[in-house]
Structures are given as structure tokens and as C-alpha cells.
Amino acid sequence: MLINGIKGDEWLGVSVMAYLEANHIPKDRVVVEVDGVIVPSVLHNVTFLKLDQRVEIIQFVGGG
Amino acid sequence: MHTSRGVNITWNGVPTFTQFQTTDSFIKAHHSDADIIVYNGCAIEDSMPLISGDNLVTLVKKGLPSKALLREMMVCRHSPGVHNALCNATVGIAGLGGLGSHVAIALARMGIGKLIIADFDVVEPTNLNRQAYLVSHLGCFKADALKRQLSEIHPYTDVDAHVVRLTTENTMGLFETCDVVVEAFDRADQKAMLVNLILSEGNMPIVAASGMAGLYSGNLIKSKQRTSRLFVVGDERHEATPGKGLMAPRVLIAAGHQALVVSQLITGQLDFDHNNDMR
């Protein structure tokens, strides 16, 4: 499994919600894509990270 | 051997056969009061030899050129392929603050075909430190003020201005015809909302921005392709905080990156790949 291009097998089986909490990423400021599909925030707690997945987690900071 | 002395050039957008051998002699005969000479896309002061295939534009400084002539100047500067792609494109801009106002202006200067711009807010004094508004715009809706300004920059860009707060309900309807959408909001949760929406319900790319506050090095601000349709500009770190607010230089750098990625997407000239290596 790759998280933002880096090997992240220690997170296998962990939910997206648990991953975000462990990494102090606010759920309302993030975009999560697993294998090219957006995971909406209502599904963060029922989406579990699996082997061979490509996960992109984009956290936004304010300003514009 | 006798050779024909005439050449076929394009002059102010019109195919023209001429016996004149230089730009100076041609202009003296055809447009003696011209004070701007653009020869093959480049402004010149000295006379140049005229060769078949040359493109010559002659203008007076005061006065707006016709749509056809302005188009010819843009074709000449950008190349026909790039210009045609840009002038047939529609770009949506969500949020018209420091990022959105400057992205819109850069794209209008490029001769983009249509801009769909949206913001609910009015121009107020604290905006003037970084947003592309003037004292005369204070109190006006940003969408209206920017539309007026764009008409003074490239009057032939079609600008569809909306005074509206973008939500999950109204955004897709507004931007469904766009080739690219630009995320130019201020708040991080709004940024995430828009990107999630475009990536799950739309099919166009989105160019977002994250991290441009303070006076840190401008070299930290980068353009990256994060997923197949998501491009993120910024240092992805520096949020506006007390004492390290949003200021014109880095906001304009980020807006420049966004406008550039949009232009690259529209013209198919993206020069970095999914792993963000330069091609």
C-alpha cells in the first residue's frame, strides 16, 4: 500500500478515520482518494486501508 | 534569372501581396501613423526585411483594436494552436479573492474564451493588500467588480459573473460546462468541499491552492499533480495566522502557478507527470 507515494503497510486494516485522527488531520479539511476514487467523509469510518491500494491524502490549509 | 519581387504576408490579419521589401517601406505606404509594429509576434523598432509568410501588425497606441485584429495579435504571440485552444476554453473560478481575481486576470490576458466566476462577498478595505481590486470597487460585489475590470483588460473574453455562495447543491450546475475549475477559496474546509465535489461529481480537472501565507521564500510554492484530476499549488504548509498573514507577493505567485497549470491543461502542454517529475 502506498500513502502519498510512500509505503504505508503499517496502516493495513486501519480505517481512513483512524488514520486521519492518528495523524492529526482534520476530516473537514481533507481529500482522500483510494485507487482513484474519492472517499467522502461520511465513509471515512467504514473504509479500511487494504494491501496494494494507492491512497492519496491531501490536507488543505487556509488562505487565498 | 528573373525572380518575382513580391511577397505574400499577413497584415493586420489580412493576406496581403506586396512589392515592398522591408517593414519600414511597407508601413510608410500603408499605415504611416502606426506607432506600434509587431513583426512575427515580436514588437520591433528597426526595419526588418519582409519575407513571404511574415505576420505584420501595425497599430496606433491609443484605441482598442478590433476583435479580429486583437485575435491576430494573440495568435501571433501564442502560436495558432495555443491561441485556438485557449479561446475555445471555459474556465470556472470559485472564489474571487487574492487567488481568484489574479487567476482571472492572467487568463483574460491570455485570451481565454469564457470565464465563469463566482463569489458571494463584497470588496472591502482589507482586500486591497493582495486582491486585484481598486478603491473605486469598495462595497461592490467582487464578481461584478472583477467582470468590469476584465472587460478593460480583454474585452472579448466572455465573463459569466455570479454573486453566490458556492455549496454542494449549486456548484456543479454552475461549473458543468467548464474545461477546468480553479479552487480559489480562503477557508480550508471550503477548499476541501469543492475539491471533493469536483472529483466525485465532475469530470474536469481542478487546480487548487494550499499554503501561500507569510513572507517565506516564493521558491517553496510549487505546482503538483496529486491525483489524475487534482493539481495543488502552494507550499501546502503556511496557513494565514496572526503575524503571518496573506500578503500580495506569495498570493500572486500562487495565482500565477494556478493560471499556468490551467493554461498547460487547456493546451496539452503539462510538463510534469503524476509523480511530479519534469517531463
Side-chain angles (χ1 to χ4, degrees):
Chain A
M1 179 177 57
L2 291 177
I3 302 178
N4 292 345
I6 297 164
K7 226 167 146 44
D9 286 344
E10 68 270 31
W11 299 100
L12 281 176
V14 171
S15 73
V16 168
M17 183 189 263
Y19 177 90
L20 296 179
E21 282 172 359
N23 288 280
H24 310 291
I25 301 172
K27 65 177 190 314
D28 62 342
R29 294 173 155 223
V30 79
V31 171
V32 180
E33 197 180 276
V34 176
D35 291 336
V37 179
I38 290 290
V39 181
S41 58
V42 292
L43 298 180
H44 284 180
N45 61 335
V46 293
T47 304
F48 298 92
L49 301 177
K50 299 191 187 80
L51 203 64
D52 298 331
Q53 280 180 333
R54 192 186 170 106
V55 183
E56 290 292 329
I57 294 176
I58 301 102
Q59 182 186 354
F60 287 94
V61 300
Chain B
M1 192 175 72
H2 179 79
T3 54
S4 165
R5 293 175 59 81
V7 294
N8 289 298
I9 66 166
T10 302
W11 173 46
N12 287 354
V14 180
T16 305
F17 178 79
T18 178
Q19 300 286 340
F20 290 105
Q21 303 286 300
T22 65
T23 54
D24 269 7
S25 56
F26 180 90
I27 291 158
K28 199 173 172 191
H30 291 288
H31 195 174
S32 60
D33 62 343
D35 38 27
I36 298 172
I37 319 298
V38 184
Y39 173 76
N40 294 337
C42 186
I44 58 166
E45 291 183 4
D46 299 330
S47 187
M48 299 293 283
L50 278 177
I51 300 161
S52 277
D54 278 349
N55 188 309
L56 189 65
V57 172
T58 60
L59 299 165
V60 290
K61 283 187 178 170
K62 197 165 164 57
L64 176 68
S66 69
K67 187 172 184 177
L69 183 50
L70 197 60
R71 183 182 188 283
E72 187 63 24
M73 290 161 56
M74 300 292 245
V75 165
C76 213
R77 187 164 296 243
H78 295 159
S79 87
V82 167
H83 178 77
N84 287 336
L86 288 169
C87 76
N88 288 315
T90 299
V91 177
I93 303 181
L96 305 175
L99 295 169
S101 61
H102 286 110
V103 171
I105 285 174
L107 292 175
R109 289 195 195 283
M110 297 283 285
I112 204 88
K114 182 173 180 178
L115 292 172
I116 299 176
I117 60 175
D119 195 300
F120 69 92
D121 214 352
V122 296
V123 180
E124 42 101 344
T126 67
N127 299 151
L128 298 179
N129 86 320
R130 69 185 189 284
Q131 307 187 13
Y133 300 105
L134 309 174
V135 168
S136 61
H137 293 138
L138 291 173
C140 302
F141 286 112
K142 290 181 180 179
D144 297 336
L146 187 59
K147 182 182 165 98
R148 283 208 303 279
Q149 211 176 157
L150 295 170
S151 75
E152 294 273 333
I153 289 169
H154 190 83
Y156 309 120
T157 286
D158 182 9
V159 180
D160 199 355
H162 297 266
V163 178
V164 64
R165 188 186 286 273
L166 291 171
T167 66
T168 50
E169 277 75 47
N170 62 16
T171 299
M172 287 318 297
L174 208 63
F175 291 143
E176 64 188 350
T177 58
C178 293
D179 299 294
V180 186
V181 170
V182 175
E183 178 283 303
F185 287 145
D186 191 28
R187 281 171 41 184
D189 60 335
Q190 293 292 298
K191 291 170 180 287
M193 180 277 289
L194 183 75
V195 171
N196 275 307
L197 192 67
I198 295 287
L199 294 183
S200 51
E201 293 183 23
N203 53 19
M204 68 288 277
I206 178 162
V207 182
S210 180
M212 76 292 301
L215 288 176
Y216 307 96
S217 170
N219 297 339
L220 297 173
I221 294 174
K222 297 189 188 314
S223 301
K224 290 182 187 169
Q225 182 170 11
R226 293 297 307 269
T227 74
S228 61
R229 285 194 287 124
L230 172 60
F231 297 79
V232 179
V233 161
D235 62 23
E236 297 188 67
R237 193 148 56 101
H238 291 113
E239 185 155 29
T241 53
K244 295 198 171 67
L246 293 160
M247 288 171 263
R250 294 185 101 229
V251 174
L252 267 68
I253 291 170
H257 271 266
Q258 285 185 292
L260 178 58
V261 173
V262 169
S263 308
Q264 290 185 323
L265 284 164
I266 289 168
T267 58
Q269 295 189 19
L270 210 62
D271 57 3
F272 48 94
D273 64 21
H274 207 125
N275 297 318
N276 299 304
D277 297 321
M278 298 295 289
R279 275 183 194 139

